Amino acid sequence: MTHSQPRIAIIGAGPSGLYAAEGLRRHGWQDVTVFERQARVGGMALTRYYEPGDGRRIPYDMGSLQPSSSRQLVRLIEELGLHFGVDLGEGHRVGQPIRLRLYNERQRKYVADFVSHPHTGQPWSKQLVFLRDIARLAPWVFRMRKLAKPGFSHGLPPKFLRMSVSEWMDACDFKLIRPLLLAQASGVACGGQHEHAASERSMVQALKDLVFALKPPRVYGKGLYHPVREGYQEVLIRLAKRLNVVTHANITAIRRDSAGVHLTCNGQSHHFDRLIIACPPNSLAPVMDADAHERALYHMARCNRPTWRVAFLARGIPEPAAGYLFTDQAEYADAPPSLSLFACNALVEGSGKDALRLYGGLVGHGSVEGIEVALDNAANRLKNVFGAHDIQWIDKVFWPQFNTHIGIEDVARGAYDQFEQLQGRNATYYTGEYLSGNSHGKTLEYSWELVRRHFAKAPAPSATPAWQHGFGTRAGS
């Protein structure tokens, strides 16, 4: 008598879904199918290429990036044959990290500069004030060290869950590190838009970002950034080649009962034993047999910050091996929409300060309308601050759901614990950045921990996995 392994469906071939599928593969599960509605894998990781006419194809990211640090993610990237550090030319060592410079345009100064001051971002004259800030921050990092683990359900006291980022920083009265924390909590995670009271993040979410930024092997807390040379989507493209991924998947019904999960995709019905939802679950609510409790939880994963990812050419910007963050976009509610961060991708032509280079960045403008005004503001910022010239915008992508997360009121009501209690109910499991925290490092660790906790080592199959018979269009086919 032959039998096959239980069949597992994963909806979403973004980072969360592909990391979950890879985690299952490493635990011995073979009958796993990942469904993706788009024609490509990667979700909000999107890499495109600029061709300068000399035969090169220069990758640049137009979606989410790799940070923060995770040993598992670093090992996976290296295992896939990819590399850290872009080639900036002109004697810059390939593979060296990019150092961050935080600039406040209203104050017309760098509030942190890890190019000039590699260890703290601050000159020696300010080290006593810096150490005072660190002394105030250290007890919080120690108290919240459990946030170095996947997820947020660690029994945190309600008073912490209800504390907003701004309330926490006001209570600590940070001086020098406040801009760095603001840029991390808002500028990077939310596209550079100011934290409005109606949608401000919980302090625990910001502290999780900080704790992960301090983790080895890539200690981003030292003002470093390690981009993937081939572009971050390539990580997921190569990962998908070892998995079973069905693209162009139009799922029109999901029904769950004691017999398992019944899924209708592209007009065909399929049966699975377990289901992992690796996309914002509210997007599946119209086609899913979710009950009132599930729908209420799904609705909590809807807090997101629309933003633009842009790419441009320019001459005259100093320090190619630096990444620039503008703290006013995170700090001031009346800051006009403009460039919130950018970094160099490659040397295109020429040499010296006036060499033509390719840059990628974020523009904190949360609407599909009015982007041209925001780009004009960004160009003026590049000219006024750096003396840049010959600026040419070559690409822009609007992300309406950039960095999905759970709002502070729902966090205070115990949303994370409620989602954990929902894991496994109706043979359904959940993963995604709204549960793990933003960035691929946290997403990978949460997805792999989900597999470790809920999917024991797979039984050895004695029949051909059902996915080998085909569902439709395979990724890469």
Side-chain angles (χ1 to χ4, degrees), residues 186 192-197 305 328-334:
S186 180
Q193 299 174 93
H194 181 267
E195 288 282 7
H196 298 287
R305 293 290 179 83
D328 57 291
Q329 291 289 289
E331 194 165 0
Y332 306 120
D334 61 344

Side-chain angles (χ1 to χ4, degrees), residues 194-472:
H194 181 267
E195 288 282 7
H196 298 287
S199 59
E200 189 170 19
R201 289 182 176 232
S202 169
M203 174 269 292
V204 298
Q205 293 167 330
L207 267 174
K208 190 176 190 71
D209 289 339
L210 177 61
V211 170
F212 264 73
L214 298 173
K215 290 180 64 175
R218 299 287 186 262
V219 184
Y220 294 106
K222 292 182 178 179
L224 305 179
Y225 163 51
H226 301 260
V228 176
R229 189 179 313 161
E230 295 83 0
Y232 197 77
Q233 190 188 2
E234 185 64 22
V235 176
L236 302 166
I237 290 173
R238 295 191 185 189
L239 192 60
K241 290 179 179 179
R242 63 169 64 163
L243 304 168
N244 174 49
V245 182
V246 179
T247 56
H248 301 91
N250 179 27
I251 296 175
T252 54
I254 301 173
R255 299 290 179 266
R256 299 160 298 169
D257 55 31
S258 58
V261 179
H262 309 276
L263 185 149
T264 302
C265 177
N266 297 337
Q268 295 184 327
S269 297
H270 307 281
H271 174 267
F272 294 91
D273 298 286
R274 303 181 195 180
L275 171 67
I276 298 177
I277 296 177
C279 60
N282 211 32
S283 64
L284 292 177
V287 301
M288 193 170 177
D289 61 345
D291 60 26
H293 177 63
E294 289 173 321
R295 289 180 184 275
L297 285 179
Y298 294 174
H299 187 65
M300 294 181 183
R302 60 180 171 80
C303 299
N304 46 64
R305 293 290 179 83
T307 196
W308 287 85
R309 172 69 70 175
V310 298
F312 62 95
L313 300 173
R315 301 181 189 270
I317 298 175
E319 298 294 345
Y324 293 87
L325 289 84
F326 294 94
T327 61
D328 57 291
Q329 291 289 289
E331 194 165 0
Y332 306 120
D334 61 344
S338 182
L339 197 66
S340 59
L341 64 91
F342 72 94
C344 184
N345 285 89
L347 171 69
V348 176
E349 64 178 30
S351 61
K353 182 179 178 181
D354 285 335
L356 183 67
R357 297 182 181 276
L358 171 66
Y359 298 87
L362 284 177
V363 170
H365 177 62
S367 171
V368 72
E369 305 294 338
I371 182 60
E372 298 305 325
V373 173
L375 292 181
D376 287 342
N377 292 339
N380 288 332
R381 168 168 281 183
L382 292 170
K383 294 174 184 177
N384 296 336
V385 176
F386 305 109
H389 55 95
D390 294 345
I391 301 168
Q392 179 184 351
W393 303 101
I394 63 171
D395 205 350
K396 58 182 182 292
V397 175
F398 180 64
W399 295 100
Q401 294 186 341
F402 200 77
N403 294 117
T404 304
H405 64 287
I406 293 175
I408 189 170
E409 289 302 319
D410 290 327
V411 170
R413 296 187 188 103
Y416 291 120
D417 289 326
Q418 292 179 58
F419 261 106
E420 287 305 307
Q421 293 168 9
L422 201 63
Q423 298 285 16
R425 180 180 173 186
N426 295 326
T428 305
Y429 302 82
Y430 303 86
T431 185
E433 64 181 2
Y434 64 98
L435 295 176
S436 63
N438 301 134
S439 91
H440 296 273
K442 293 190 284 289
T443 298
L444 180 142
E445 292 195 5
Y446 185 89
S447 291
W448 284 13
E449 178 66 10
L450 177 76
V451 170
R452 188 194 68 80
R453 287 191 293 123
H454 297 286
F455 295 81
K457 185 173 177 61
S462 57
T464 301
W467 63 261
Q468 291 186 7
H469 303 299
F471 282 96

